Amino acid sequence: MPAKTSVVIPKYNYGRFIGEALRSVFAQTLSPVEVIVVDDGSTDETAEAVAEFGERVRYILQENAGVCAARNRGVAESSGDLIAFLDADDIWEPTKLEKQAAKFADPEVGLVHCGMREFDSDTGETLGVKLDGGEGEVWRALLLWEGPVIIGPGGTIMVSRKAFDEAGGFDTRSRVGEDWDFCYRVARRRKVGFVKEPLVNYRVHSKAAHLNIAEMERGMSLFYEKAFADGDEQVQALKRQALSNCHRILAGSYFQAGQYRDFLRTAAKSVLKTPSNIGYFLEFPLRRFRAKKD
């Protein structure tokens, strides 16, 4: 008997998009056993939009607690052996669930992700296609923040219930990087599968808020605090490089945002871990000069 699949959709004030997301779920070639929408305290027309689908959708309303809490609540209320997450403003291709579920034929696989197409929310125009995901034993790459590894984990991942429980679900303390953290904890225990097709259409909002880099730094710090509590020698051997890469990423983000004091602070931390990074950071003022010139 094939594994039962539950779909969990966390939702906060995307009532204008939820209908299209749900229609893409009900168009799947592999029908889920249930579709659960967790409304995280929306103040828009979400309830009315979901009500149009009747009993095909289980609607749960909770006080605003963040996307992690909403996903955890959805899983707790679900019954499937496999859980697929969908962000309320994204859209699935019809074979998404079927192709991902097939990867769980390997009992060592705990999580499967897929490629993603990014499109402009206003025009529908394709902005890019991401197919460079990782599979197999990917925890090292996740720990070191090397490349994308897991593509768009908000709406591309399917996870077994056993792997979800082993990882402890999403960390509700994190607001940025929570997907990365969750995928790492699954990958430490199990293999990751990948379907190299753009099975998720990811909506890019032209008026999306800028990333809160300070919150990103807090999330990354929390991630590494937990990761390095692991006494495994393989993990500890990567600590210096991982923290260097982390601060290098943060420094670049702070520079792009024009927060130069924080750029210098995090760049210095990266250089202390990896002195050869100093050449990389010395090029940043030149890059800014070139950008202004262009």
Side-chain angles (χ1 to χ4, degrees):
M1 179 181 294
K4 299 187 299 179
T5 302
S6 298
V7 174
V8 172
I9 306 176
K11 170 76 179 65
Y12 179 71
N13 282 351
Y14 273 154
R16 62 194 185 280
F17 298 131
I18 188 69
E20 193 172 7
L22 285 168
R23 283 189 289 274
S24 78
V25 173
F26 291 118
Q28 292 296 301
T29 54
L30 174 65
S31 298
V33 295
E34 61 194 350
V35 180
I36 300 173
V37 172
V38 181
D39 186 343
D40 191 41
S42 295
T43 57
D44 64 358
E45 67 278 14
T46 291
E48 293 81 0
V50 174
E52 294 181 9
F53 292 85
E55 295 183 355
R56 291 189 293 172
V57 178
R58 183 176 177 191
Y59 175 74
I60 299 171
L61 177 63
Q62 67 177 29
E63 291 186 9
N64 183 258
V67 65
C68 291
R71 287 177 181 153
N72 290 344
R73 173 76 181 277
V75 174
E77 298 282 351
S78 69
S79 62
D81 307 302
L82 303 175
I83 300 109
F85 297 99
L86 172 62
D87 286 343
D89 54 337
D90 296 337
I91 306 162
W92 284 346
E93 290 296 316
T95 58
K96 196 261 188 189
L97 293 182
E98 179 182 1
K99 290 181 176 179
Q100 286 188 299
K103 291 283 186 178
F104 288 92
D106 181 347
E108 294 185 14
V109 169
L111 180 149
V112 176
H113 63 126
C114 63
M116 181 174 73
R117 165 186 168 261
E118 296 180 330
F119 71 99
D120 185 279
S121 181
D122 297 324
T123 67
E125 177 186 359
T126 297
L127 302 176
V129 176
K130 296 185 176 181
L131 298 174
D132 51 352
E135 61 182 331
E137 190 178 275
V138 303
W139 69 265
R140 289 178 180 82
L142 286 167
L143 185 69
L144 295 172
W145 288 76
E146 291 181 341
V149 191
I150 305 292
I151 297 176
T156 68
I157 66 171
M158 177 185 285
V159 63
S160 70
R161 179 173 298 278
K162 186 172 183 179
F164 183 92
D165 290 342
E166 288 173 347
F170 291 90
D171 190 335
T172 57
R173 296 172 296 173
S174 296
R175 296 184 179 274
V176 177
E178 72 283 349
D179 299 324
W180 189 280
D181 168 55
F182 172 74
C183 291
Y184 172 78
R185 284 183 280 115
V186 173
R188 276 291 291 149
R189 297 167 174 84
R190 295 182 174 272
K191 289 179 5 183
V192 167
F194 179 56
V195 180
K196 195 175 182 178
E197 295 181 44
L199 300 178
V200 173
N201 297 288
Y202 177 84
R203 192 184 302 269
V204 178
H205 301 275
S206 59
K207 296 181 180 179
H210 292 295
L211 179 65
N212 184 330
I213 306 169
E215 189 61 43
M216 174 182 173
E217 182 173 4
R218 192 187 76 84
M220 292 172 80
S221 296
L222 178 60
F223 165 68
Y224 281 117
E225 178 185 333
K226 293 186 298 181
F228 293 122
D230 185 337
D232 190 310
E233 291 183 1
Q234 295 181 85
V235 175
Q236 296 302 321
L238 297 172
K239 184 173 182 178
R240 189 178 189 88
Q241 183 181 352
L243 293 177
S244 174
N245 291 353
C246 167
H247 289 114
R248 175 171 164 160
I249 292 167
L250 287 168
S253 298
Y254 278 125
F255 186 88
Q256 291 296 324
Q259 299 178 40
Y260 301 120
R261 179 175 297 180
D262 287 314
F263 161 71
L264 291 172
R265 174 178 58 82
T266 49
K269 288 183 178 182
S270 179
V271 170
L272 283 173
K273 299 290 184 183
T274 308
S276 60
N277 279 348
I278 192 167
Y280 171 79
F281 289 118
L282 287 175
E283 293 180 1
F284 271 68
L286 181 58
R287 292 177 191 174
R288 185 172 182 220
F289 173 75
R290 286 173 179 167
K292 285 186 174 181
K293 189 175 180 180
D294 294 340

